């Protein structure tokens, strides 16, 4: 599976970059000031996809100017993982390409 090279979030085009090293426990993050999403290289394609969705959810909340408390990983990661599962399990992304 290949990740997209760009995702558009709230009208902002974010570049998606695979990065060899991200902090010890991290798998991905967004650099909001430069509109870049970094995803860790070397993790499974499923984890890369889930991490991308997690970071996209964080960026959506950032771009929507939602209070910073809501952007915490304790909320975003489970929400992102569930969103990834729902999209994948139900092939919902296909709705946009019919």
């Amino acid at each position: 599976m290949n990740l997209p090279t760009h995702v558009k979030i709230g009208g902002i085009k974010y570049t998606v970059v695979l990065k060899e090293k991200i902090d010890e426990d991290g798998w991905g993050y967004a650099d909001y000031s430069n509109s870049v999403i970094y995803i860790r290289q070397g993790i499974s394609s499923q984890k890369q996809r889930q991490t991308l969705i997690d970071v996209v959810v964080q960026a959506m909340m950032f771009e929507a100017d939602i209070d910073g408390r809501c952007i915490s990983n304790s909320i975003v990661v489970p929400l992102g993982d569930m969103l990834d599962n729902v999209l994948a399990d139900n092939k919902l992304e296909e709705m946009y390409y019919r």
Side-chain angles (χ1 to χ4, degrees):
M1 183 220 52
N2 293 323
L3 294 178
T5 57
H6 296 88
V7 292
K8 203 168 188 182
I9 302 167
I12 306 297
K13 185 177 178 181
Y14 280 78
T15 302
V16 178
V17 175
L18 289 175
K19 189 173 179 181
E20 190 173 315
K21 259 202 157 184
I22 293 179
D23 72 42
E24 203 162 303
D25 295 325
W27 290 349
Y29 66 94
D31 175 351
Y32 301 118
S33 61
N34 294 304
S35 304
V36 178
I37 293 174
Y38 294 100
I39 304 295
R40 185 174 172 182
Q41 236 173 355
I43 59 176
S44 72
S45 60
Q46 180 182 8
K47 287 294 182 190
Q48 285 181 344
R49 187 188 72 227
Q50 287 177 330
T51 302
L52 176 62
I53 297 296
D54 293 346
V55 177
V56 165
V57 170
Q58 287 178 324
M60 288 167 52
M61 296 173 89
F62 175 83
E63 296 297 343
D65 201 25
I66 294 175
D67 188 304
R69 291 172 295 156
C70 294
I71 300 177
S72 78
N73 282 342
S74 64
I75 294 171
V76 171
V77 170
L79 181 61
D81 289 349
M82 291 304 298
L83 179 58
D84 174 71
N85 289 337
V86 168
L87 291 171
D89 291 348
N90 297 289
K91 298 182 171 55
L92 293 177
E93 73 282 358
E94 293 175 3
M95 292 187 315
Y96 297 98
Y97 301 104
R98 291 184 189 166

